[in-house]
């Protein structure tokens, strides 16, 4: 998940522990990892490129966990500093979105998917709402709007 800060190119290499790398052509410099908070819904991993909001980066990620013998994906969000090593400073401690098994139907072409998936790939802030693009069940793309103020209320500071 690429982003730029201070005229340099970076990428979130790993979500947990939060690890950012600086990218300079073919050269990569790993920043020291910083802790990611406890997350009960599987391993946090990739997602949308971070969005800079008032000097902080908002990063939308996904995680996968077992739910009744099936894989289920969730979307979460955390905020990190705009300076190396880009330390995580707060997060929403529960998923923002969870795949809905009711939309993973047998009567669709291809039959029932092996997992319940919501996977956020893109994010932008428009006014007071984040607009998220997500894949659902590896079958279709969706656009969601999530209020920034609501997310701020749900955030836990680390």
């Amino acid at each position: 998940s690429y982003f730029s800060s201070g005229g340099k190119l970076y990428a979130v290499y790993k979500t947990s522990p939060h690890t950012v790398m600086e990218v300079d052509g073919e050269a990569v410099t790993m920043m020291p990892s910083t802790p990611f908070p406890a997350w009960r819904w599987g391993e946090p991993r990739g997602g949308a490129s971070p969005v800079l909001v008032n000097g902080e980066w908002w990063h939308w990620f996904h995680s996968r966990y077992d739910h009744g013998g099936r894989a289920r994906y969730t979307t979460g969000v955390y905020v990190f500093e705009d300076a190396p090593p880009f330390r995580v400073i707060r997060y929403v401690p529960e998923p923002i979105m969870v795949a809905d098994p009711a939309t993973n139907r047998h009567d669709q072409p291809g039959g029932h998917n092996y997992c319940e998936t919501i996977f956020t790939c893109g994010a932008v802030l428009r006014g007071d709402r984040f607009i998220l693009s997500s894949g659902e069940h590896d079958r279709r793309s969706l656009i969601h709007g999530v209020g920034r103020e609501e997310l701020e209320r749900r955030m836990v500071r680390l």
Side-chain angles (χ1 to χ4, degrees):
S1 300
Y2 289 95
F3 65 100
S4 63
S5 177
K8 295 181 179 181
L9 179 62
Y10 295 94
V12 176
Y13 175 74
K14 190 171 183 180
T15 305
S16 181
H18 179 69
T19 308
V20 172
M21 62 184 185
E22 180 182 340
V23 181
D24 184 7
E26 292 184 19
V28 172
T29 304
M30 302 302 287
M31 303 285 121
S33 294
T34 61
F36 188 86
W39 186 255
R40 298 186 336 231
W41 295 274
E43 177 189 358
R45 38 194 181 172
S49 289
V51 177
L52 187 62
V53 179
N54 296 330
E56 300 174 329
W57 292 99
W58 288 61
H59 187 216
W60 301 86
F61 66 94
H62 77 276
S63 64
R64 178 183 169 203
Y65 67 100
D66 181 69
H67 180 76
R70 295 178 59 82
R72 179 176 282 175
Y73 285 71
T74 70
T75 295
V77 65
Y78 66 97
V79 177
F80 61 89
E81 295 175 332
D82 184 27
F86 303 101
R87 183 179 61 92
V88 177
I89 51 178
R90 62 187 195 279
Y91 78 119
V92 175
E94 64 279 331
I96 302 303
M97 294 183 286
V98 177
D100 181 1
T103 62
N104 193 11
R105 298 174 18 202
H106 290 281
D107 60 349
Q108 295 176 337
H112 201 68
N113 203 357
Y114 72 96
C115 64
E116 296 155 359
T117 306
I118 190 79
F119 188 99
T120 298
C121 314
V124 295
L125 181 63
R126 291 290 178 255
D128 64 347
R129 296 183 67 73
F130 283 98
I131 308 302
L132 309 175
S133 64
S134 301
E136 182 183 52
H137 308 307
D138 296 332
R139 295 180 190 272
R140 62 188 150 270
S141 296
L142 304 173
I143 303 294
H144 307 275
V146 182
R148 181 177 160 220
E149 209 171 278
E150 173 196 339
L151 294 172
E152 290 278 9
R153 280 193 301 272
R154 295 169 62 188
M155 288 270 175
V156 172
R157 186 163 290 282
L158 303 178

